[in-house]
Amino acid sequence: MPKISVIIPVYNVEKYLRECLDSVVGQTLEDIEIICINDGSSDDSLKILEEYVAKDNRIKVLSQHNKGAGEARNAGINAARGEYLAFIDGDDFYHTDFCKKMHNKALLTNSDVVVCAARSYNIKKKKYNKMPWSLVEEYLPQKDVFNYKDMNKYIFIFSQNWNWNKIFKKEFIDKNHISFQSLYRTNDLFFTCKALICADKISVVNEELVVYRTGMKTNSQSTNHLHPLDFYEAFKTLREYLISIDKFEDVEQCYINWALKGLINNVISVKDKTVKYKMGNFLYNSGLEYLGLCSVDFRDIYLQSDYEEFIDQFYKYRKKMFGYEKSKNHYFIYLFGLRLVVKRRFLCQK
């Protein structure tokens, strides 16, 4: 049994795939298997994968028609034999010691999930940047091993809903029937959040062990307008699941913060005015109410720095859907017909 199965969904990333594969093949922990899922690529990605298979017998390639990264990762999970699962996209790359340090932590603590920090690399500016939101130290409990009960206000926020800055015990994933959604975007939110809720033991490696590439025109973040409500489906599924296992009230404050942040980020990221209007119309008529965001008490909102940034963004969209005012002590945001009042200070201390 390999110590870690590294699962890589691959779709038209020929420009960056070699760097990704080199970072995985060159891991200081050699006892790994590498499962690449060619998700219907039309460029030379498959050719590159076959080139690496010929050089390294740890690499296995699966092919499928284009179904999205979520389904590709599910195929990888089904084929995996490793003790732990790791995920990375074909345009990102690992630090050389990612597998070794994450696996050592997992063995030391017998964790179901291990989380690390990450940094980004902007291909246009050719510059690395810090990503402090990848692992927010101030939200972590003062203990080496923890679970959601130790940080119910921050469990979805302390490390984002990314799958690629974490490893997961395979037995734990199978036992809890945790899988990725069949969405083009945000397909890892439910997978990761469900894992964090179900995990008895979570631990952290406080080092930047993954690099997330930015500045491309073809990644999911740059094509939000094609699947504008995938994020809604992800948050909807998460809310339904939390209610079904009677844990929603335990993490409601965290969920509201995470869902509201996701909503605002996704609306802002869509540049197409027609799509933005349709999103607003849907959310205003039913979506916001279903997510439980129609009557938010802003005393429960604690991501002040994020909301300061959002408010600045709203100022740029003072049209039919957005309005913005400010007084000495408050911000007034008009979002899809809702008047949200935010005091100009940190409203909820840790």
Side-chain angles (χ1 to χ4, degrees):
M1 175 187 292
K3 293 178 179 178
I4 294 183
S5 296
V6 180
I7 297 171
I8 312 174
V10 176
Y11 178 70
N12 289 350
V13 286
E14 61 179 2
K15 291 183 180 179
Y16 317 109
L17 184 55
R18 283 191 172 86
E19 186 173 9
C20 172
L21 292 173
D22 287 341
S23 78
V24 180
V25 169
Q27 287 291 300
T28 51
L29 178 64
E30 296 182 357
D31 187 10
I32 63 175
E33 69 172 352
I34 305 164
I35 304 174
C36 304
I37 303 89
N38 174 43
D39 188 34
S41 297
S42 58
D43 64 0
D44 282 338
S45 292
L46 179 58
K47 182 178 179 181
I48 294 171
L49 292 175
E50 292 171 343
E51 171 189 323
Y52 275 76
V53 167
K55 296 186 295 184
D56 194 322
N57 60 14
R58 297 175 300 172
I59 301 176
K60 179 180 181 180
V61 175
L62 308 176
S63 288
Q64 64 182 34
H65 296 296
N66 181 235
K67 299 179 182 179
E71 287 293 340
R73 295 188 189 106
N74 286 336
I77 292 173
N78 291 335
R81 299 177 295 110
E83 180 185 4
Y84 279 84
L85 304 173
F87 302 91
I88 189 167
D89 292 339
D91 49 7
D92 299 331
F93 51 99
Y94 283 149
H95 183 283
T96 306
D97 291 327
F98 171 86
C99 287
K100 181 178 181 179
K101 290 185 175 182
M102 296 289 275
H103 188 259
N104 284 348
K105 187 70 173 186
L107 291 184
L108 181 65
T109 58
N110 191 29
S111 292
D112 299 312
V113 182
V114 180
V115 185
C116 71
R119 58 178 174 158
S120 65
Y121 178 72
N122 188 293
I123 63 171
K124 293 181 180 179
K125 298 180 180 180
K126 297 182 179 180
K127 180 182 178 182
Y128 288 95
N129 296 291
K130 294 283 186 179
M131 299 177 72
W133 54 91
S134 66
L135 185 62
V136 186
E137 293 184 57
E138 65 183 279
Y139 293 161
L140 294 174
Q142 298 300 309
K143 54 198 308 186
D144 196 37
V145 182
F146 55 91
N147 58 43
Y148 90 92
K149 295 178 182 178
D150 298 305
M151 53 184 311
N152 64 314
K153 291 184 179 180
Y154 308 102
I155 186 63
F156 302 139
I157 293 175
F158 84 99
S159 70
Q160 307 294 307
N161 53 253
W162 304 324
N163 61 88
W164 44 262
N165 68 331
K166 303 171 179 70
I167 65 171
F168 307 84
K169 185 182 290 185
K170 175 69 157 59
E171 181 183 12
F172 158 75
I173 292 297
D174 291 342
K175 178 182 177 181
N176 289 279
H177 308 289
I178 302 173
S179 61
F180 290 87
Q181 289 183 280
S182 300
L183 301 173
Y184 182 82
R185 296 182 58 251
T186 328
N187 56 68
D188 54 350
L189 184 146
F190 181 64
F191 177 95
T192 304
C193 291
K194 182 177 179 180
L196 292 172
I197 285 291
C198 291
D200 289 326
K201 295 182 178 181
I202 304 170
S203 59
V204 165
V205 176
N206 196 359
E207 297 182 45
E208 297 172 340
L209 298 179
V210 190
V211 179
Y212 175 69
R213 197 185 301 269
T214 64
M216 295 90 71
K217 295 181 179 180
T218 56
N219 65 5
S220 63
Q221 296 303 314
S222 63
T223 55
N224 290 355
H225 62 286
L226 299 177
H227 309 273
L229 291 175
D230 277 6
F231 81 93
Y232 168 81
E233 292 298 328
F235 278 111
K236 175 184 173 183
T237 302
L238 176 59
R239 186 172 187 268
E240 290 172 346
Y241 172 72
L242 292 170
I243 292 172
S244 73
I245 61 172
D246 200 27
K247 292 184 179 179
F248 182 73
E249 290 186 5
D250 294 345
V251 296
E252 184 174 8
Q253 183 180 4
C254 184
Y255 174 86
I256 287 173
N257 276 272
W258 195 225
L260 191 55
K261 178 180 178 179
L263 183 153
I264 297 173
N265 272 341
N266 277 274
V267 171
I268 288 174
S269 69
V270 173
K271 306 305 179 184
D272 187 296
K273 294 180 181 179
T274 300
V275 174
K276 189 186 289 286
Y277 179 80
K278 289 180 179 179
M279 288 175 70
N281 189 53
F282 168 77
L283 292 167
Y284 177 67
N285 285 318
S286 60
L288 286 172
E289 182 177 2
Y290 194 87
L291 294 181
L293 300 179
C294 275
S295 56
V296 175
D297 185 342
F298 273 79
R299 289 173 295 182
D300 290 334
I301 300 300
Y302 46 78
L303 297 172
Q304 185 192 22
S305 60
D306 290 329
Y307 286 102
E308 295 277 353
E309 180 182 347
F310 296 154
I311 288 165
D312 289 339
Q313 289 288 334
F314 280 131
Y315 188 77
K316 299 176 182 179
Y317 295 101
R318 293 202 300 184
K319 296 184 179 179
K320 185 168 185 177
M321 286 191 295
F322 299 114
Y324 167 84
E325 302 171 20
K326 66 180 179 180
S327 66
K328 182 178 180 180
N329 298 315
H330 297 83
Y331 291 108
F332 302 95
I333 306 171
Y334 297 88
L335 175 61
F336 311 130
L338 299 177
R339 187 173 188 264
L340 309 181
V341 182
V342 185
K343 289 185 179 180
R344 299 180 69 180
R345 61 181 177 87
F346 195 78
L347 294 178
C348 182
Q349 300 294 332
K350 182 178 177 183

